[in-house]
Amino acid sequence: MSSGPLIEIRRLYKSYTRGGQAIPVLTDVSFEIGRGEFLALMGPSGSGKSTLLNCLAGIDRVDSGEIVVNGQDITLLDETDLARWRSRSVGFIFQFYNLIPVLTALENVELPLLLTGLTRRERREHAAAALAAVGLSDRSDHYPAQLSGGQQQRVAIARAVVTDPDILVADEPTGDLDRTSAEEILTLMNRLNQELEKTIIMVTHDPRAAQEAHVLRHLDKGELSRAADTPGR
Amino acid sequence: MLLIRLAVKNAFRHRLRSVLTILGVAVAILAFGLLRTVVDAWYSGVEASAADRLVTRNAISLTFSLPLAYREKIRAVPGVTEVSQGNWFGGIYVDEKNFFANFAYDIPSLLAIYPEISVKDKDQLSSLLRDRKGALVGEKLAKRFGWKVGDQVTLRGTIFIGDWDFTIRALYKATRAGIDESQFFFHWTYLDETLRATMPTRAGQVGFYMVGIDDPSRSADISRAIDAQFANSLAETLTETEKAFQMGFVSMSSAIILAIKLVSFVVVLIILAVSANTMAMSARERSGEYAVLKTLGFGSSTLALLIAGEALALSVTGACLGLALVLPCAKAVGSFMTDFFPVFLVSDQTITLSLAAGVAVGLLSAAYPALYAARVGIAQALRKVG
Ligand SMILES: Nc1ncnc2c1ncn2[C@@H]1O[C@H](COP(=O)(O)OP(=O)(O)OP(=O)(O)O)[C@@H](O)[C@H]1O
Ligand SMILES: [Mg+2]
């Protein structure tokens, strides 16, 4: 393993065109994310947090700039290579869980493994282990609609980690949950960070969620606040 | 496999919508199958014709007759194995709506030329050949009117005026599907001898000759040789294969047949539109899920397969249901319209075409949604979910 940052973001620009007019969303964003870091990204609504996260995770394109992950600039990859990179390197946790409603919890967790070379039995075993890790072994045959929000988010986390990616990205993972469930999720993410050494990038509005992170960054009007805050804990 | 399960489960996500789509496809395939069977029924005479049979008729038209003396001359043409003379009788049984084909024929030679017309009971056959007024009747026709061997039947002549009495002496079965089992044959000599007594000018006249030949590949040569015999005579002949002869009847209604064929394809097009609409609706609703699958690293081709699988699950289920209905419906329609279509069978080709139509509907209706899913921008689609 090389030392130094896992992700380097250099001079990132991104704008959307609406009605023929370019609206800048990210302007000259540069920062680094260390290996094993738990980063919380905060900022007012519309400041470009989701956009930045999507670009980092390879599901949105930048206008210019570099995103170097493990020495590789992912902005240079074509769609196919980018998809392959995502499936190997990034686990996704969304605000609304985004499970496939017609598949059971176990099948949802198994889904990303279809893109690996594992046999059916190995896939089942891996998926069951991931579900066990989030404490939902007894719900493997349940459909998303039969699970609470917190349980669905835990299934989503199992799906995110089942392929053992280096990076986890989470866009407001507790945004749709009550206090207790939110705390469960945050504890779980912290464990993933501590025990499995996942690098986590989390967008959040919730100051208590941000407390869990090691590093806090503020985004405002597409610009990153210069210094990285370290939450008191 | 998980993806196949996902495709099938997606197909039945909206119960009502899926059931309606499947029913729509089923009804369309049913209509398609029945319409094609109607077309086939029209061609059944053509289909039933054999390559080793020719028909010789008056060159002017079928309504003009030929002298009986031609029979031996045709018989003498090299390559001819058997000749049978026949007349369309056009008799009516009780009421005009009881229509069926009835012919005066030289029965021994008819049976020799048509091995497909089989009289199983040898006693029936010999009593038929002995009785001057005996009639040979298809089993389907006998069943239709409840006739049994030995029954007396009177036909009212329309071309040969008068009441003509017959005794049913034998029943025949077709040994090959497609041969009409509702025809009525009686001895040509009975017609001729009666005419000799009542209308001597019309005696000794033959409507057409059915000619058996030894080598189907020489049918054109033999036809020419037959017609050459009677060139420049008072009654010139036109000899053609049985198939061409039957085709002549069909082509009289070719416009109707074309219309029916067109309608059968229009039905499939309509259901394609319905199915495509269902799939497009589903695709739109699921853009978020497609985005999630893409996020996980699945490519556009996998999504296309998923969507095609879903569309096929609906359309092929519908097509199979439609096909399952076609057979009994064809049977019902066939027995109902036996006057018009003595042969009304669903052909293998119709079954294959129906299935192909089902598959085509599935694949084509998946095309747009697959393209749509391929174009879905992950970030945009996820934003909609949120
Ligand atoms: N597809 C798009 N077309 C046009 N404008 C867009 C598009 N996506 C995002 N934007 C704009 O970009 C800006 C940043 O959006 P983004 O979703 O990144 O903000 P955010 O910080 O995540 O906000 P929130 O906290 O509400 O989720 C917003 O002004 C938004 O309206
Ligand atoms: Mg956001």
Side-chain angles (χ1 to χ4, degrees), chain A residues 16-18 23-25 43-52 60 95 171-172 203 205 219, chain B residues 380 383:
Chain A
Y16 288 107
T17 29
R18 215 174 331 186
I23 300 166
V25 179
S45 184
S47 56
K49 305 181 296 294
S50 296
T51 306
L52 177 58
D60 206 350
Q95 178 177 0
D171 197 344
E172 301 185 33
V203 166
H205 279 295
L219 200 62
Chain B
Q380 250 91 314
R383 205 171 284 277

Side-chain angles (χ1 to χ4, degrees), chain A residues 86 96 98 101-102 107 143, chain B residues 5 9 13 294-295 385-386:
Chain A
R86 277 200 306 273
F96 298 102
N98 282 347
V102 292
E107 288 169 337
Y143 288 93
Chain B
R5 241 172 78 75
K9 287 203 153 187
R13 228 149 126 173
K294 281 182 155 185
T295 302
V385 176

Side-chain angles (χ1 to χ4, degrees), chain B residues 69-251:
Chain B
Y70 282 17
R71 179 178 165 146
E72 286 315 308
K73 287 189 179 165
I74 296 172
R75 187 84 176 74
V77 171
V80 172
T81 55
E82 187 61 88
V83 181
S84 185
Q85 76 271 30
N87 280 76
W88 172 253
F89 183 68
I92 289 166
Y93 176 62
V94 186
D95 193 296
E96 272 178 36
K97 71 174 196 288
N98 293 334
F99 174 86
F100 54 85
N102 46 83
F103 296 93
Y105 245 115
D106 179 48
I107 288 183
S109 52
L110 170 73
L111 294 179
I113 296 174
Y114 276 93
E116 303 98 311
I117 296 179
S118 135
V119 182
K120 258 198 246 122
D121 190 326
K122 292 303 148 201
D123 293 342
Q124 285 185 12
L125 185 60
S126 55
S127 69
L128 168 69
L129 295 180
R130 263 183 275 121
D131 184 356
R132 203 173 66 97
K133 295 188 173 184
L136 169 62
V137 172
E139 284 194 352
K140 203 167 144 189
L141 185 65
K143 204 164 152 199
R144 179 169 155 205
F145 296 115
W147 293 338
K148 286 179 296 297
V149 169
D151 282 2
Q152 301 278 330
V153 171
T154 304
L155 297 189
R156 179 156 45 85
T158 54
I159 302 167
F160 306 98
I161 306 301
D163 281 348
W164 298 69
D165 296 327
F166 304 96
T167 308
I168 293 169
R169 288 298 176 198
L171 303 181
Y172 75 84
K173 242 185 138 45
T175 56
R176 191 153 62 84
I179 293 275
D180 183 1
E181 275 184 356
S182 55
Q183 301 179 87
F184 184 107
F185 302 107
F186 61 91
H187 294 293
W188 190 83
T189 43
Y190 175 37
L191 173 70
D192 194 53
E193 284 163 15
T194 311
L195 290 177
R196 215 170 278 283
T198 56
M199 293 175 267
T201 50
R202 297 185 67 181
Q205 295 294 311
V206 171
F208 53 87
Y209 288 101
M210 190 61 67
V211 181
I213 59 175
D214 56 3
D215 182 0
S217 66
R218 289 189 53 238
S219 60
D221 291 343
I222 299 173
S223 299
R224 242 176 315 208
I226 293 173
D227 292 341
Q229 293 263 338
F230 312 108
N232 304 316
S233 73
L234 274 179
E236 294 196 343
T237 61
L238 176 75
T239 304
E240 55 195 351
T241 59
E242 187 188 15
K243 194 167 208 137
F245 179 73
Q246 296 283 4
M247 205 63 186
F249 289 106
V250 176
S251 61

